[in-house]
């Protein structure tokens, strides 16, 4: 550029182009070009690029690459594979570089171009992401729900053991509680927990639980195109942001609830940030979103999956590959099931008969030992091998009581011990433990003594032994 300037200045001062060429040791054609353009114009191609060796094979290459669109991403043609096939199958004699350059240019021409979107206040986008976490000392995969308000960039994040329909709905309800309002509309992908089927006209047949949720909160649902994450790019970006900023290093918490409380704190702290291109904080812009959102309905929505089942001969009810116990009095009866994110509730007619922590493993049995005590009282010989009692962590006073009862009364002592355990059907373990400890201290080894001491403790009256 310096030489360009000197030549133009010299010619402008009266030097001829012939003299300038001689003075600066360049050709007269170069001097003429310098005088035609104020800055170097660069190389300008006058004729279209021709590839005589490649052009007859371009339709074949295009056909192969077009067919690749229906193949798995990792099973498509590379430039090297196209080159090898052209040589082996089509007699191509050109080089690899022209194949590689053509495919690169073709892919650039086919890349999608996007329209910048405006995001009015009061609307949201939702999605799920995945990350490794350590809960209760166990490393496992967390599925975290993210709800984003694109106008203000405010977000809510909540983690679950699985991204089931109940988790989708539960995440929404917690997000609405966090913001104190309900969005007018939410953009989703086509997750099977939400969309049971995409009909030929493009409309969605919603899953039953999700449809009830939308009806309850009067939310207008919108959907991105299948496989097009950019249709809800704001929340897609927020999923990555949450993983990088909230889950690095790997989170470690005692319980899921403790983890989720911490995530809420991070979402609140983020509202103090001022993002690039904005003059106000996320929290200040959130006020515009909240003003355009709807208030809560009068009654809450239950985020649970509903199912029916039948009690087996072992007093178990199957739900999602796992078996949950119910009291033996309900054996062989039809029951209803309400599965929440953290709890499975089982009922018979209008009565709740069992409540268990939800198991997210497969082919497991979840026992409540108390459910089997009436049957064990009748079939006392099964006490030693009763699976529901295996691993039941009772205070050491109970083992002492059982040993003394069996020593004094043998078989009948085991039955009385089960009768003592059956007091847990009505009373708390802490109260029963105190009563057992008092009975051992007094030497009153028997069901009647333990029950009397327990009632005296509950009713706050002195014992009469």
């Amino acid at each position: 550029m310096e030489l360009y300037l000197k030549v133009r200045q010299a010619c402008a001062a009266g030097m001829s182009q012939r003299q300038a060429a001689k003075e600066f040791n360049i050709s007269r054609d170069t001097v003429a070009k310098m005088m035609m353009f104020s800055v170097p114009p660069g190389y300008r191609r006058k004729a279209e690029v021709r590839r005589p060796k490649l052009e007859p094979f371009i339709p074949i290459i295009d056909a192969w690459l077009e067919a690749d669109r229906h193949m798995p991403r990792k099973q498509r043609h590379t430039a090297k594979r196209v080159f090898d096939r052209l040589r082996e199958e089509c007699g191509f004699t050109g080089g690899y570089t022209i194949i590689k350059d053509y495919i690169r240019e073709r892919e650039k021409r086919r890349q999608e171009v996007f329209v910048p979107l405006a995001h009015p206040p009061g609307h949201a986008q939702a999605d799920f992401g995945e990350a490794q976490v350590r809960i209760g000392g166990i490393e496992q995969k967390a599925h975290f729900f993210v709800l984003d308000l694109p106008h203000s960039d405010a977000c809510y994040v909540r983690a679950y053991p699985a991204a089931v329909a109940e988790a989708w709905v539960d995440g929404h309800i917690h997000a609405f509680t966090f913001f104190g309002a309900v969005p007018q509309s939410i953009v989703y992908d086509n997750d099977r927990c939400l969309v049971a089927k995409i009909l030929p006209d493009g409309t969605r047949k919603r899953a039953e639980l999700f449809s009830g949720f939308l009806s309850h909160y009067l939310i207008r649902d919108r959907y991105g195109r299948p496989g097009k994450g950019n249709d809800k790019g704001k929340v897609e970006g927020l999923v990555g942001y949450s993983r990088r900023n909230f889950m690095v290093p790997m989170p470690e918490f005692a319980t899921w609830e403790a983890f989720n409380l911490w995530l809420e704190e991070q979402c609140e702290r983020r509202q103090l940030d001022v993002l690039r291109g904005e003059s106000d904080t996320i929290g200040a812009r959130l006020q515009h979103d909240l003003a355009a959102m709807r208030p809560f309905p009068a009654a809450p929505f239950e985020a649970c999956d509903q199912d029916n089942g039948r009690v087996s001969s072992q007093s178990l009810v199957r739900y999602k590959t796992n078996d949950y116990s119910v009291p033996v009095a309900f054996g062989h009866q039809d029951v209803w099931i309400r599965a929440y994110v953290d709890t499975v509730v089982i009922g018979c007619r209008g009565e709740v008969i069992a409540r268990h922590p939800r198991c997210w493993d497969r082919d497991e049995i979840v026992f409540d030992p108390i459910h089997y005590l009436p049957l064990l009282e009748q079939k006392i010989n099964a006490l030693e091998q009763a699976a529901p009692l295996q691993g039941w962590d009772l205070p050491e006073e109970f083992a002492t009581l059982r040993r003394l009862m069996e020593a004094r009364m043998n078989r009948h002592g085991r039955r009385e011990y089960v009768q003592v355990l059956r007091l847990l059907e009505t009373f708390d373990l802490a109260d029963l433990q105190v009563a057992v400890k008092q009975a051992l201290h007094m030497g009153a080894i028997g069901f009647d003594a333990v029950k009397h001491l327990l009632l005296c403790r509950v009713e706050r009256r002195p014992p009469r032994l």
Side-chain angles (χ1 to χ4, degrees):
M1 191 66 198
E2 287 295 323
L3 177 63
Y4 207 92
L5 175 61
K6 290 177 180 178
V7 172
R8 285 178 59 83
Q9 286 177 337
C11 291
M15 183 181 291
S16 68
Q17 293 187 14
R18 180 188 294 273
Q19 288 176 316
K22 202 170 190 180
E23 176 72 22
F24 296 102
N25 196 27
I26 56 178
S27 71
R28 281 180 288 174
D29 289 340
T30 302
V31 174
K33 185 183 293 186
M34 287 179 172
M35 298 309 296
M36 289 175 60
F37 301 98
S38 58
V39 294
Y43 176 75
R44 295 181 296 171
R45 186 180 295 277
K46 295 180 180 179
E48 185 179 349
V49 177
R50 294 188 70 253
R51 303 184 181 96
K53 287 190 176 182
L54 177 66
E55 284 175 0
F57 300 94
I58 286 179
I60 300 174
I61 298 173
D62 288 343
W64 289 348
L65 298 180
E66 192 65 26
D68 274 354
R69 297 177 61 188
H70 307 287
M71 296 294 291
R73 185 170 297 275
K74 295 183 179 180
Q75 203 172 341
R76 297 178 182 177
H77 283 83
T78 61
K80 179 65 166 58
R81 182 57 184 150
V82 170
F83 173 66
D84 290 341
R85 285 192 66 186
L86 287 176
R87 287 198 308 173
E88 295 170 6
E89 302 174 18
C90 307
F92 178 67
T93 58
Y96 168 68
T97 302
I98 57 173
I99 299 291
K100 180 180 65 175
D101 291 345
Y102 172 74
I103 292 177
R104 183 189 298 115
E105 292 171 9
R106 184 181 185 276
E107 291 303 314
K108 286 182 179 179
R109 293 195 302 269
R110 296 180 63 87
Q111 285 182 351
E112 189 174 359
V113 180
F114 305 104
V115 178
L117 301 178
H119 300 285
H123 300 268
Q125 299 178 1
D127 201 3
F128 258 91
E130 296 179 355
Q132 290 297 118
V133 299
R134 188 173 286 109
I135 304 296
I138 301 174
E139 184 176 332
Q140 55 193 292
K141 182 184 291 185
H143 302 259
F144 58 95
F145 169 83
V146 177
L147 187 129
D148 174 58
L149 301 178
H151 177 78
S152 62
D153 294 298
C155 69
Y156 179 80
V157 182
R158 188 172 184 84
Y160 297 93
V164 293
E166 306 92 88
W168 272 99
V169 175
D170 186 77
H172 281 83
I173 294 172
H174 279 88
F176 299 164
T177 303
F178 178 76
F179 290 120
V182 179
Q184 296 181 34
S185 74
I186 303 178
V187 181
Y188 300 98
D189 57 19
N190 297 277
D191 191 284
R192 284 183 294 178
C193 295
L194 312 180
V195 178
K197 186 178 182 182
I198 302 178
L199 301 177
D201 62 355
T203 58
R204 271 69 172 176
K205 182 180 179 182
R206 304 175 185 88
E208 185 175 351
L209 177 62
F210 183 59
S211 182
F213 159 77
L214 294 174
S215 176
H216 185 84
Y217 288 98
L218 298 176
I219 297 170
R220 183 165 59 90
D221 55 328
R222 296 182 291 142
Y223 299 90
R225 295 167 293 169
K228 297 292 184 179
N230 56 283
D231 287 352
K232 51 181 181 59
K234 281 281 191 175
V235 74
E236 291 279 354
L238 195 55
V239 166
Y241 174 90
S242 301
R243 185 184 295 110
R244 292 188 301 271
N245 291 273
F246 301 161
M247 301 177 194
V248 177
M250 183 187 296
E252 186 170 354
F253 290 88
T255 63
W256 286 99
E257 189 59 33
F259 182 30
N260 285 322
L261 288 174
W262 181 81
L263 286 174
E264 283 193 9
E265 293 174 2
Q266 306 314 302
C267 294
E268 289 177 351
R269 287 178 55 188
R270 186 173 179 270
Q271 293 181 14
L272 301 175
D273 295 347
V274 179
L275 302 188
R276 180 182 177 185
E278 301 290 345
S279 57
D280 293 328
T281 64
I282 293 174
R285 293 185 290 123
L286 174 60
Q287 301 310 309
H288 299 289
D289 267 321
L290 297 179
M293 292 165 71
R294 294 194 183 96
F296 283 112
F301 183 80
E302 282 199 332
C304 68
D305 180 32
Q306 302 185 18
D307 201 355
N308 296 306
R310 187 174 180 84
V311 183
S312 71
S313 60
Q314 294 184 325
S315 199
L316 296 171
V317 176
R318 176 153 296 186
Y319 174 73
K320 301 286 189 186
T321 77
N322 295 317
D323 292 319
Y324 298 87
S325 69
V326 299
V328 293
F330 294 92
H332 305 287
Q333 297 193 36
D334 294 325
V335 294
W336 49 262
I337 305 167
R338 301 290 182 270
Y340 299 84
V341 171
D342 55 356
T343 308
V344 173
V345 179
I346 303 172
C348 185
R349 294 177 285 277
E351 177 187 3
V352 174
I353 61 174
R355 189 182 299 268
H356 293 277
R358 183 160 181 177
C359 177
W360 291 103
D361 294 327
R362 295 180 61 86
D363 304 319
E364 296 290 334
I365 301 177
V366 181
F367 288 119
D368 183 342
I370 297 174
H371 291 162
Y372 293 88
L373 295 178
L375 186 61
L376 284 171
E377 188 179 353
Q378 300 172 21
K379 300 183 177 182
I380 199 63
N381 289 334
L383 181 62
E384 293 295 337
Q385 294 181 288
L389 271 59
Q390 303 301 313
W392 192 10
D393 189 17
L394 290 171
E396 60 181 11
E397 291 86 359
F398 287 80
T400 304
L401 179 68
R402 177 182 176 181
R403 187 174 66 252
L404 294 175
M405 282 182 165
E406 291 182 358
R408 293 186 181 185
M409 295 175 277
N410 198 2
R411 179 187 176 92
H412 185 68
R414 285 186 304 205
R415 183 170 282 109
E416 286 214 6
Y417 174 69
V418 173
Q419 291 174 347
V420 169
L421 295 180
R422 288 196 63 185
L423 292 171
L424 292 171
E425 296 172 352
T426 309
F427 301 99
D428 292 336
L429 177 60
D431 291 332
L432 182 57
Q433 181 185 1
V434 172
V436 170
K437 187 179 292 187
Q438 287 179 332
L440 292 174
H441 180 71
M442 296 177 178
I445 309 302
F447 166 71
D448 291 333
V450 173
K451 182 178 180 181
H452 173 72
L453 292 169
L454 177 59
L455 290 172
C456 289
R457 174 177 174 77
V458 172
E459 298 170 2
R460 297 187 177 181
R461 57 184 174 85
R464 296 179 181 177
L465 290 177

